[in-house]
Structures are given as C-alpha cells and as structure tokens.
Amino acid sequence: MAGKRRGRGSNVQQQQTPQNRGGGRRRALRQPAAFARSTGYETTIPHEKLTIAQARRGTPANRPVRVYADGIFDLFHSGHARALMQAKNVFPNTHLIVGVCSDELTHKYKGYTVMTESERYEALLHCRYVDEVVRDAPWSLTPEFLQKHKIDFVAHDDIPYTSAGSEDVYKHIKEAGMFVATQRTDGISTSDLITRIVRDYDIYVRRNLQRGYTARELNVGFINEKKYRLQNQVDKMKETVRTVEEKSKHFVYRVEEKSQDLIHKWEEKSREFIGNFLELFGPDGAWHVIQERSGRMLQALSPYSSPRGSPSSSPTRRRSVSPDSFPSSASASASPPSSPSSPSSPSSPSSKSSHSSPKKGKRSSLKAASTYSRHVQ
C-alpha cells in the first residue's frame, strides 16, 4: 500500500509531461481517499522522528513521510487543490493527511459556512492528492493529536494564522521544526467566491427563480419576488429582440449577397448579349456580310434595266409625236383647205378666236393630241 502510494506521488510530480497522461487518467479512476481511523495510525514499523533533510533525501517505500494539512475547505476550489498538491509533493515519498474542521468549531472560530461538514469531507475524499481524511479535526494542533496520527510535518502557508486568541496557531509547530510552507494562490479563495455571490445577489436570486426555486427557499419577500420575476420577463423580451435583430441582420446580409450575385450575373449576361449583337449587326458583322452577298447574287441573276427616258427603252415613245405638231395636223385633217383666192379677213371668227384666246387654242391642241394618241393605240 505504501509503495503504491509512493508511485502515485512521484507520478503527480511528472503529470505535466505528455508521456504520463495515461497514468494521470488511471490515477483519476482510483478509489477515493480513506477516512482516518478513530484510534489513530497503527503500524508495526517503528515510527522514528524524521528531520526535513532526511525527508527530502527520500525514505523507504514502507516508511512514507506523513504530512498533515488542515483547513475548512468550504466551497472547495482550485486554491485548495493547489495547496494540497504542494503538500503532497514537498517530499519524494509523502502520505498526505488532511484534517477538516467540523461545523461547530468553524462557526465558533471563523464563521458560517456554505457547505456542511459532511459535504466538505466528501469533497476532500475525491481530491487526487489526498491519501487520508481526518474528520472533526482540532482547531489547534496538540502533541497528543500529532502522536496519535504519527504526523511528521505540518504543511500550511507561511502567513501567521491569527485565531482562537493566538497570534499564530502554528507557532509551536514552527518552533519544533515540523512546519513546511506552501504558497497561497492569488485571486481565488472562499471569501472571494462569497463576495462575488453577495455582490451579484439579485442576479443569482433571479437565476434560481428561473430554475424553479421558490421565493421561500431563497428567503425572498413577496414584493422582491414580483420585482425579480418582472425583471426576468424584461430580460427575456430583450433577448428576444436581440435575437430578432441578429436574424434580421443575417437576412439582410443574405439578401445583399444574393442581390450582388444577381447584379454580377446580369452584367455578365448584358456584356454577352451586347457582344453577340455587335458580332451579328456591327459594321463587320455577319448580317452585313449576308446582305452584301445576297445583293451580289441578285445582281448576277437579274441585271439592272436601262434608265427611264432612254430612247431605246420605250417603244411607245418611238411612235409618239410631239404635242406641238398636233394642232397643225388636226386642223389640216379637220378643216378643208381654203381657197387661195379667198383672202382671210381679220374680222372672221376663226381669226378672232385664234388671236384673241391663246389659252383656248392650247386646250384644243391638247385635246386633239390625246384623241390622236388614243386612235394610234
């Protein structure tokens, strides 16, 4: 048993190395520490007194150095665990005994505790550095108690512990050369934890009301209970609004992202459409090439006709007579030739009409021309 515990202590010193992580898992799965016997430590091996130098050099496996550390250990935390780790590793072969004071002594000399004594005993049993737990430990260590449990050294921080009318309850231990010092962990203590709870009292009351505790269990009055429950409802509404805001922000971000993608795709399609349009209908596009080729084919199949007004292109014009000649021929054919002996008098009706109305003569000439053209056709 002693050798096994010695190996466990040496492994604790090496627990920071990656090679010993498997051993750390095995240590965590071991049995809880044992409670000390009411009759004290019993062994057949002579328990000779050790000096600190002898203990530091190491002792046989069947003779571990019995180190005692006591305390209240209320709200057991990492500061407690680190102090016990230092006490366990102060010598190469250490059997660590931890004394826990009862509720009666603690309330008398220090104050009210959060955890009961049975809860504090149980917390120490499951600390990996502890080998033995002494219940109802004395407030001040007496020679009889040290002899009963065969204690070699007492481990505690070096700050004088003023209590029970004494300036330092460990003064006689230090004078006897049985004291080994450990270091306190800054920033963590039972008093610090209680201070946090008292400072944030309203928060923790509201928290426990939400978790189903009654106002009576929390020692909260009727008005304060209603106030805390109203504050909880307000906090829920705030949380809901905050959640909606976060979701709306996410939605807006997604919409913006999608719109940017759509705009980018639209720009790509527009550029593609414009490029295809210019390729088809541009100055050098396929449409102009097709038109040019079709024009050439039409010209080759049916050449252009002669221009209008050309003498060779209009057979009708070849047979037509100038309108200016129509009156003379018409008048020649319509009226009989006058006798050469009859002189034309200026007062004759024909001479009057020919000289007095040139417009009328033009109309009659045009009418005769049209009559002639119909006759020829």
Side-chain angles (χ1 to χ4, degrees):
M1 176 70 74
K4 191 176 192 178
R5 287 175 178 163
R6 178 184 177 184
R8 177 172 169 264
S10 61
N11 285 338
V12 169
Q13 289 179 327
Q14 301 173 2
Q15 65 179 342
Q16 299 299 330
T17 60
Q19 292 80 2
N20 294 319
R21 287 176 182 171
R25 293 192 188 96
R26 288 192 293 272
R27 288 196 304 276
L29 296 175
R30 69 183 294 273
Q31 294 292 329
F35 283 115
R37 296 180 181 180
S38 58
T39 57
Y41 179 63
E42 297 176 0
T43 180
T44 57
I45 301 173
H47 193 82
E48 298 177 355
K49 185 175 177 58
L50 297 173
T51 64
I52 291 181
Q54 290 175 333
R56 292 191 186 281
R57 283 196 299 268
T59 57
N62 59 354
R63 175 55 174 98
V65 180
R66 294 176 65 83
V67 178
Y68 178 82
D70 61 355
I72 309 301
F73 301 104
D74 191 22
L75 297 176
F76 189 80
H77 52 75
S78 61
H80 295 141
R82 289 180 66 85
L84 298 177
M85 179 185 69
Q86 295 175 58
K88 178 69 177 179
N89 296 327
V90 68
F91 301 118
N93 183 17
T94 301
H95 180 84
L96 181 60
I97 309 161
V98 179
V100 183
C101 299
S102 65
D103 287 345
E104 182 181 357
L105 281 178
T106 305
H107 298 166
K108 180 180 179 180
Y109 291 110
K110 190 168 184 178
Y112 191 76
T113 58
V114 178
M115 300 170 65
T116 64
E117 61 182 68
S118 60
E119 292 170 342
R120 292 183 283 117
Y121 298 155
E122 188 71 20
L124 267 299
L125 289 177
H126 297 282
C127 179
R128 65 170 61 186
Y129 310 116
V130 179
D131 297 302
E132 190 176 337
V133 175
V134 177
R135 291 172 288 190
D136 193 12
W139 196 260
S140 297
L141 299 179
T142 61
E144 292 79 15
F145 179 82
L146 297 175
Q147 182 61 34
K148 177 182 177 181
H149 293 282
K150 302 295 189 291
I151 294 171
D152 295 311
F153 299 98
V154 176
H156 200 272
D157 61 79
D158 203 14
I159 301 173
Y161 193 82
T162 304
S163 180
S166 175
E167 294 183 357
D168 188 0
V169 295
Y170 297 105
K171 182 178 180 180
H172 63 288
I173 303 294
K174 294 176 181 177
E175 292 174 350
M178 299 175 62
F179 186 83
V180 289
T182 59
Q183 293 182 352
R184 293 178 64 88
T185 302
D186 296 332
I188 184 70
S189 68
T190 301
S191 299
D192 292 338
L193 296 177
I194 294 174
T195 300
R196 295 180 197 175
I197 297 171
V198 172
R199 180 189 61 198
D200 300 325
Y201 170 78
D202 290 350
I203 295 175
Y204 292 116
V205 171
R206 290 164 53 190
R207 169 179 176 265
N208 283 2
L209 284 173
Q210 283 182 324
R211 296 192 175 188
Y213 288 88
T214 64
R216 186 170 183 175
E217 290 174 326
L218 297 171
N219 196 25
V220 175
F222 177 79
I223 296 176
N224 286 334
E225 178 192 3
K226 299 303 179 185
K227 181 184 73 173
Y228 293 140
R229 292 192 183 280
L230 178 60
Q231 289 175 343
N232 287 337
Q233 292 297 327
V234 172
D235 289 346
K236 285 183 180 179
M237 291 179 63
K238 289 181 179 178
E239 185 66 25
T240 303
V241 171
R242 192 178 300 112
T243 304
V244 171
E245 288 179 353
E246 291 295 329
K247 289 183 178 179
S248 61
K249 287 180 181 178
H250 180 70
F251 176 74
V252 170
Y253 174 76
R254 293 290 298 170
V255 169
E256 290 180 352
E257 187 178 10
K258 290 289 185 183
S259 62
Q260 292 294 332
D261 291 341
L262 290 174
I263 291 172
H264 183 66
K265 290 180 180 178
W266 181 82
E267 289 177 349
E268 289 182 351
K269 293 294 183 182
S270 299
R271 286 193 292 267
E272 183 179 354
F273 176 77
I274 293 171
N276 293 336
F277 182 84
L278 293 176
E279 184 179 356
L280 183 60
F281 298 103
D284 299 328
W287 180 255
H288 289 277
V289 174
I290 292 171
Q291 281 189 332
E292 185 177 356
R293 290 179 180 176
S294 62
R296 290 176 182 174
M297 290 176 63
L298 290 174
Q299 186 177 4
L301 294 173
S302 63
Y304 291 122
S305 59
S306 300
R308 295 184 64 182
S310 173
S312 61
S313 63
S314 178
T316 307
R317 285 179 177 268
R318 286 199 303 265
R319 295 184 298 175
S320 63
V321 183
S322 175
D324 294 338
S325 61
F326 291 160
S328 58
S329 58
S331 58
S333 60
S335 59
S338 57
S339 58
S341 59
S342 58
S344 60
S345 63
S347 59
S348 63
S350 60
S351 62
K352 274 185 184 180
S353 60
S354 62
H355 290 287
S356 62
S357 56
K359 292 182 180 180
K360 192 173 180 180
K362 286 184 180 180
R363 282 196 298 268
S364 60
S365 302
L366 291 173
K367 186 176 180 182
S370 60
T371 303
Y372 177 75
S373 61
R374 281 197 300 268
H375 177 71
V376 171
Q377 293 176 357

